[in-house]
Amino acid sequence: MRKNKARVAVLVSGGGTNLQAIIDAQKNGVIRHGEVRLVIANKADAYALTRARNAGIPTLTVLKKECGGQREFEEKIAAALEMHQIDLIVLAGFMAILSKDFTGRFERKIINVHPSLIPSFCGAGFYGLRVHEAALAKGVKVTGATVHFVNEIPDGGEIILQKAVKVYPHDTPQKLQLRVMKQAEWKILPAAVEMLSAKIIAE
Ligand code: GAR
């Protein structure tokens, strides 16, 4: 049956500025074919949860320490996604590894935003500020962000969108992180959500 809008879930762990960019893009019409129907956090104090509540989006917190293990953690998340009939799962600063069981269950339905130009500075151990620290340590003059499909290999799925960002002398990891977010992440993540949502509803 044809739907009006793809049902989107966003998985978060922290500040949720990428979630905010998606919410804002929905409000200002950049995202027209998708709608965030659920936000799931794996941290009880994630500020992203406040952003979701402020936007009237249902939230769920799933804490790994309250689960019997990875399987139960993922089962709870999967059950919520299925209950809400989610079409597209967006990892937006979600700092937990998902097993092959989980990624296989939602093949080509999960996307992630990563704060570098993959294949640079990605894979196990490269997350958040660490990515920018590594880029500065290497002395790259250009970095950026990538939105990609999620499979069993960390940051290894097919690339959907990328955007380059300049690195300046005297950048700090924090300064670079903010520039990459403003110039790349907050643009390409909503753009990818819109692109894939439009595809989903046309199916
Ligand atoms: C973002 O920079 C995102 O790209 C990064 O964490 C930050 C989350 O910020 N994700 C990763 O490093 C995943 N490997 P946010 O909570 O404000 O959106």
Side-chain angles (χ1 to χ4, degrees), residues 117-119 145-149 155-162:
L117 293 173
I118 291 176
T146 303
V147 176
H148 62 92
F149 284 111
D155 301 321
E158 188 190 321
I159 291 170
I160 302 166
L161 290 175
Q162 287 189 306

Side-chain angles (χ1 to χ4, degrees), residues 64 67-77 94 96-102:
K64 200 159 171 200
C67 300
Q70 182 75 12
R71 184 180 281 270
E72 192 186 321
F73 173 69
E74 291 182 349
E75 198 44 57
K76 281 188 180 168
I77 295 173
F94 186 63
I97 297 289
L98 295 166
S99 74
K100 192 179 175 178
D101 280 352
F102 188 94

Side-chain angles (χ1 to χ4, degrees), residues 117-129:
L117 293 173
I118 291 176
S120 290
F121 314 115
C122 66
F126 286 102
Y127 57 86
L129 219 44

